[in-house]
């Protein structure tokens, strides 16, 4: 599919935008805002952070393929000079490779060949953790997304289409800035999770049956897959 947004009509562009601006990240952000307003405890915030991070990974997946095309559009036009400076600022401090950024989102771990994150989220104090949550929910990405959604609802026009595409490119750069910010943090949403009792029981039963010789051995990868565990 082409990612040349300059050639899209407003209707085409709005359709292309839907999985980007409607991804679960934005609903999770609203829940996280509410929890912070309620002064919720760390456990509640950490639970929602898992959803927030998964939503971020979903947004990254949507923007991963068209990224170079969007950057090319930004670099090619003088009307985006102010955005070009922001692109240069991100690229000047990026530490990870494109493959490394994908690896972090897919496996929650950076490539060994890339610089390692300086900050482990689970090691933050309660105050530091809450401050990070405040930073994330107040990221400019969310205001930029609201502007894109607002412009999507306007009556189609040449001027309106240009405004919508410009607003989206601002949103895209807010995403790049968030991605660069998160490079400094090591976060594994599954870290510290315990097996559910029913899963633990099934594992124990499988081990007992194997040791007794009543069942044929099954590769551990297959067991993990059936139980919904990462391996």
């Amino acid at each position: 599919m082409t990612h040349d947004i300059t050639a899209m009509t407003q209707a085409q562009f709005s359709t292309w935008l839907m999985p980007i601006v409607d991804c679960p990240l934005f609903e999770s952000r609203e829940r996280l805002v509410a929890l912070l307003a309620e002064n919720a405890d760390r456990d509640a915030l950490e639970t929602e952070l898992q959803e927030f991070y998964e939503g971020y990974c979903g947004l990254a997946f949507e923007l991963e393929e068209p990224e170079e095309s969007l950057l090319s559009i930004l670099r090619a036009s003088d009307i985006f000079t102010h955005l070009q400076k922001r692109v240069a600022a991100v690229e000047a401090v990026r530490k990870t490779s494109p493959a490394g950024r994908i690896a972090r989102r897919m496996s929650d771990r950076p490539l060994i060949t890339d610089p390692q994150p300086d900050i482990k989220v689970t090691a933050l104090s309660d105050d530091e953790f809450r401050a990070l949550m405040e930073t994330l929910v107040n990221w400019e990405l969310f205001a930029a997304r609201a502007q894109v959604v607002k412009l999507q609802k306007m009556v189609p026009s040449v001027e309106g289409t240009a405004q919508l595409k410009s607003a989206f490119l601002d949103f895209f750069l807010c995403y790049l800035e968030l991605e660069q910010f998160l490079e400094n943090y090591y976060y594994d949403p599954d870290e510290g999770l315990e097996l559910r009792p029913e899963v633990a029981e099934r594992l124990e039963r499988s081990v007992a049956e194997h040791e007794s010789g009543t069942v044929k051995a099954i590769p551990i990868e297959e067991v993990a897959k059936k139980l919904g565990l990462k391996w």
Side-chain angles (χ1 to χ4, degrees):
M1 177 181 177
T2 179
H3 301 300
D4 182 7
I5 66 172
T6 60
M8 295 182 188
T9 66
Q10 183 162 333
Q12 291 170 332
F13 187 53
S14 291
T15 299
W16 182 78
L17 280 178
M18 290 304 292
I20 296 172
V21 298
D22 285 347
C23 81
L25 170 65
F26 303 106
E27 292 182 0
S28 179
R29 183 259 182 176
E30 295 306 311
R31 293 193 297 269
L32 202 49
V33 167
L35 288 170
L36 288 166
E38 296 166 4
N39 199 30
D41 62 23
R42 181 162 179 163
D43 286 345
L45 293 175
E46 287 183 337
T47 297
E48 190 56 48
L49 176 60
Q50 294 172 13
E51 298 296 325
F52 183 96
Y53 186 76
E54 290 299 324
Y56 154 73
C57 290
L59 176 62
F61 176 80
E62 294 292 342
L63 291 173
E64 182 179 294
E65 187 178 350
E67 179 173 318
E68 279 306 316
S69 175
L70 296 173
L71 288 172
S72 295
I73 292 169
L74 285 168
R75 293 173 180 134
S77 177
D78 291 339
I79 66 173
F80 296 127
T81 302
H82 62 300
L83 299 181
Q84 291 166 359
K85 293 179 180 177
R86 288 169 60 191
V87 171
V90 168
E91 294 181 331
V93 294
R94 264 183 169 174
K95 300 176 183 177
T96 56
S97 62
R101 293 192 291 275
I102 294 171
R104 284 191 64 180
R105 294 192 293 265
M106 293 185 67
S107 65
D108 308 316
R109 296 182 183 278
L111 292 180
I112 194 169
T113 52
D114 279 345
Q116 304 302 294
D118 299 322
I119 306 168
K120 189 173 182 179
V121 173
T122 56
L124 296 174
S125 69
D126 288 350
D127 287 344
E128 290 170 334
F129 181 79
R130 188 171 293 271
L132 175 60
M133 297 304 98
E134 293 279 5
T135 297
L136 292 177
V137 300
N138 288 301
W139 204 265
E140 289 185 10
L141 176 78
F142 301 104
R145 184 256 185 181
Q147 180 65 10
V148 170
V149 172
K150 177 182 177 181
L151 290 170
Q152 279 183 295
K153 298 175 181 177
M154 292 180 60
V155 176
S157 67
V158 174
E159 182 181 0
T161 301
Q163 289 178 341
L164 176 59
K165 292 177 180 179
S166 180
F168 167 70
L169 290 172
D170 179 64
F171 166 91
F172 170 65
L173 277 175
C174 290
Y175 154 75
L176 291 183
E177 290 161 348
L178 175 60
E179 181 183 60
Q180 186 274 316
F181 173 78
L182 290 174
E183 278 190 343
N184 294 318
Y185 291 86
Y186 172 74
Y187 175 66
D188 180 354
D190 296 326
E191 185 176 5
L193 293 182
E194 297 181 358
L195 286 178
R196 298 191 307 274
E198 63 272 20
V199 175
E201 182 182 350
R202 288 173 65 186
L203 283 172
E204 291 175 359
R205 188 166 61 246
S206 294
V207 171
E209 290 174 344
H210 172 64
E211 291 178 344
S212 69
T214 58
V215 295
K216 182 180 179 181
I218 300 174
I220 187 63
E221 294 87 351
E222 186 176 337
V223 174
K225 182 178 180 181
K226 288 183 178 181
L227 296 176
L229 303 175
K230 290 185 178 180
W231 184 256

